[in-house]
Amino acid sequence: MFISTTTIRVRYGETDQMGYLYYGNYALYYEVGRAEAIRELGFTYRELEEQGVMMPVAELNAKYFRPATYDNLITVKTILKELPKSSKIQFHSELYNEKGELLNVGVTTLVFVDVNTRQKSGLPEVLRERLAPFFN
């Protein structure tokens, strides 16, 4: 299993009239978590794209337990529970407040796509090499 954590402070412009993090912005927090997780593996989304691989989102699921509010420091935990065996990869996200309370969980499914053909492709070898030690 691969786990990465990062923190994000809820900005005023991300909240709704009640001062809660707007529900649509949770997906942005998941994305920050994914980008930082990939960075922890030693490369960036841009570098993957330069190697000919895109990763569009195919599915997003979210469940809300309690609200994040303005100025909260949110811990985003991004988890890969399994090494991808097909053209899909699933990132599990958990968001916690400063008290360690679970606020939200989400699962984002992305698909590996060849930049040139726009067709599904398998797990890029560079990503497989970086992830393999976490799943042995």
Side-chain angles (χ1 to χ4, degrees), residues 51-63:
Q51 294 178 25
V53 179
M54 295 187 301
M55 295 171 57
V57 173
E59 186 175 343
L60 173 66
N61 294 292
K63 187 170 183 177

Side-chain angles (χ1 to χ4, degrees), residues 28-124:
L28 294 173
Y29 283 31
Y30 301 162
E31 182 178 6
V32 170
R34 288 193 310 272
E36 292 304 315
I38 289 172
R39 190 177 307 278
E40 279 185 33
L41 292 169
F43 47 95
T44 65
Y45 268 117
R46 180 183 304 233
E47 290 169 335
L48 282 174
E49 290 172 350
E50 289 169 353
Q51 294 178 25
V53 179
M54 295 187 301
M55 295 171 57
V57 173
E59 186 175 343
L60 173 66
N61 294 292
K63 187 170 183 177
Y64 306 88
F65 301 110
R66 53 181 56 90
T69 57
Y70 169 65
D71 207 36
N72 283 166
L73 186 61
I74 304 301
T75 297
V76 180
K77 184 184 289 187
T78 304
I79 306 160
L80 287 172
K81 294 184 177 182
E82 60 185 17
L83 188 64
K85 295 175 180 63
S86 68
S87 61
K88 295 180 181 178
I89 185 169
Q90 283 194 327
F91 290 88
H92 297 259
S93 301
E94 299 175 355
L95 277 61
Y96 296 88
N97 63 17
E98 293 169 88
K99 296 177 186 174
E101 298 170 319
L102 181 63
L103 306 178
N104 173 279
V105 295
V107 179
T108 308
T109 304
L110 291 86
V111 179
F112 300 111
V113 173
D114 182 280
V115 169
N116 298 315
T117 66
R118 304 285 179 168
Q119 299 296 312
K120 289 181 184 177
S121 60
L123 175 66

